[in-house]
């Protein structure tokens, strides 16, 4: 499938000529809002302990936040590398959401060609940044190696997922020597309590060898606003191949990029083990229950994605049906994401995993499709 090189026009708050469409904007305009099924945030909502820490931090908002992002940065490093955080934290930097860091890394990347992951679509901020920074865009079907290659793994929205051996093989086959590989693992922590064993975050020897022998720089990107359901706070991080790469990002990053409230939230939330246990235990169960209900109603639809993911990517096989499903969900106060704006895949919808009571409302709205 050839890559789309221009933003798709969209309604709502997005300027289609200047911005890349993203979901999560409709809820505030709905007088009957129940739940937002259009975003891939954690179904358990914002962790209460971290929310309290963030709220309390407002008392200190007349002061500048720490320029070194501490102690939140070290707390996140301890979360990522429980046994080796003191040796690894110098490769870590926080940002105002992953979007800021995506743009900073691509800005300092070697110029030339940019290519996405092997899937037919993925999160579009990488493409937007590459286009804005003058890269020639390759499609996922291209056999040409890129100066910069960006892979979202697990892939949002398609639900595709590469295990570490497959991921390393993809980097070897698709990144030119001296190039950048940016691997977005924002949804990786949903994998299980053993997510670190399946992540590039723990592959320091591999990353160092690749940089030493081929000059390929591997960056591991995270948006933490999905796992901990705090998209309004804007929290992201990137693990760099070396401390020197981290300092290169810091040199061009706007000072105080992450505000006091977000830093306080992050510093507290990494210790909420109960929240993560609930996430790992119940997300797959709620996801399967939702798939089973919708599949029973619409046996012709195709359901995509790994069992641990916080969303379901659905091909209705009919653009009119997908549009009607989006309209019905919105009217019931439970908006879902259309695959049309942004992804240019009008037969698809994306439905977040949510608690069964909220799914009841969505199912009730979509029943009207069976009657039409």
């Amino acid at each position: 499938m050839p890559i789309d090189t221009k933003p798709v026009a969209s309604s709502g708050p997005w300027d289609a000529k200047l911005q890349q469409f993203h979901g999560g904007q409709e809820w505030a305009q709905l007088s009957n809002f129940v739940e937002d099924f259009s975003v891939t945030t954690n179904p358990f909502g914002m962790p209460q302990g971290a929310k309290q820490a963030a709220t309390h931090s407002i008392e200190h908002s007349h002061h500048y936040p720490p320029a070194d992002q501490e102690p939140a940065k070290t707390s996140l490093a301890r979360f990522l590398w429980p046994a080796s955080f003191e040796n690894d934290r110098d490769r870590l930097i926080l940002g105002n959401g992953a979007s800021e860091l995506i743009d900073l890394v691509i800005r300092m990347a070697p110029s030339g060609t940019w290519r996405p992951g092997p899937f037919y679509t993925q999160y579009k901020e990488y493409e937007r940044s590459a286009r804005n920074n003058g890269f020639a865009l390759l499609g996922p079907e291209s056999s040409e190696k890129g100066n910069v290659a960006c892979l979202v793994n697990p892939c949002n929205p398609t639900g595709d997922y590469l295990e570490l051996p497959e991921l390393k093989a993809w980097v070897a086959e698709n990144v030119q020597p001296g190039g950048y590989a940016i691997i977005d693992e924002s949804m990786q922590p949903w994998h299980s309590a053993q997510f670190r064993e399946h992540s590039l975050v723990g592959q320091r020897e591999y990353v160092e060898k690749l940089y030493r022998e081929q000059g390929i720089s591997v960056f591991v990107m995270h948006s933490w606003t999905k796992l901990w359901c705090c998209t309004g706070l804007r929290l992201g991080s990137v693990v760099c191949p070396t401390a020197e790469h981290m300092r290169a990002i810091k040199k061009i990053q706007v000072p105080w990029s992450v505000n006091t409230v977000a830093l306080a939230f992050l510093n507290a939330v990494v210790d909420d083990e109960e929240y993560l246990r609930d996430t790992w235990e119940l997300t797959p169960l709620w996801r399967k229950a939702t798939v089973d209900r919708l599949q029973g109603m619409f046996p012709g639809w195709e359901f995509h994605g790994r069992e641990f993911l916080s969303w379901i990517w659905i091909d209705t096989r009919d653009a009119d049906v997908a549009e009607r499903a989006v309209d019905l969900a919105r009217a019931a106060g439970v908006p879902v994401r259309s695959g049309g704006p942004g992804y240019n895949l009008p037969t698809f919808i994306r439905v977040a995993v949510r608690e069964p009571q909220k799914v009841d409302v969505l199912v009730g709205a979509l029943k009207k499709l069976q009657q039409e």
Side-chain angles (χ1 to χ4, degrees), residues 107-293:
R107 262 194 259 169
M108 66 184 216
S111 61
T113 55
W114 172 90
R115 63 168 303 128
F119 316 123
Y120 56 88
T121 194
Q122 65 179 24
Y123 180 57
K124 289 292 187 175
E125 278 300 300
Y126 294 95
E127 180 184 328
R128 181 201 63 81
S129 183
R131 182 187 297 110
N132 287 349
N133 285 281
F135 284 83
L137 305 185
L138 304 173
E141 77 289 345
S142 173
S143 60
E144 182 180 343
K145 290 186 175 183
N147 297 100
V148 178
C150 302
L151 169 61
V152 181
N153 191 55
C155 182
N156 191 356
T158 71
D160 292 293
Y161 181 64
L162 300 182
E163 295 287 356
L164 279 175
E166 301 170 294
L167 183 55
K168 292 177 180 179
W170 183 86
V171 171
E173 294 167 2
N174 291 281
V175 186
Q176 293 187 18
Y180 276 23
I182 308 175
I183 311 300
D184 189 320
E185 292 194 350
S186 295
M187 314 311 289
Q188 177 71 28
W190 257 282
H191 184 283
S192 64
Q194 292 74 44
F195 76 90
R196 298 172 187 86
E197 299 170 18
H198 298 264
S199 166
L200 274 179
V201 166
Q203 298 291 308
R204 180 168 181 163
E205 290 185 8
Y206 157 76
V207 170
E208 289 180 341
K209 182 178 180 182
L210 199 60
Y211 182 62
R212 183 175 62 251
E213 295 183 355
Q214 299 185 45
I216 293 176
S217 301
V218 176
F219 296 83
V220 184
M221 193 74 62
H222 289 97
S223 168
W224 296 110
T225 60
K226 306 300 191 300
L227 179 66
W228 287 312
C229 199
C230 60
T231 52
L233 290 183
R234 314 308 306 135
L235 269 173
S237 70
V238 62
V239 179
C240 304
T242 68
E244 288 72 25
H245 287 81
M246 186 280 290
R247 287 193 285 270
I249 295 175
K250 181 181 285 189
K251 183 177 180 180
I252 61 174
Q253 185 180 40
V254 175
W256 309 295
S257 171
V258 188
N259 64 53
T260 296
V261 177
L263 288 171
F265 178 92
L266 178 60
N267 192 51
V269 78
V270 292
D271 293 325
D272 196 334
E273 296 179 359
E274 182 180 357
Y275 183 88
L276 288 178
R277 283 197 298 269
D278 289 342
T279 298
W280 293 324
E281 177 184 355
L282 292 178
T283 301
L285 298 179
W286 289 356
R287 187 184 191 280
K288 183 178 186 304
T290 303
V291 169
D292 288 346
R293 293 183 71 178

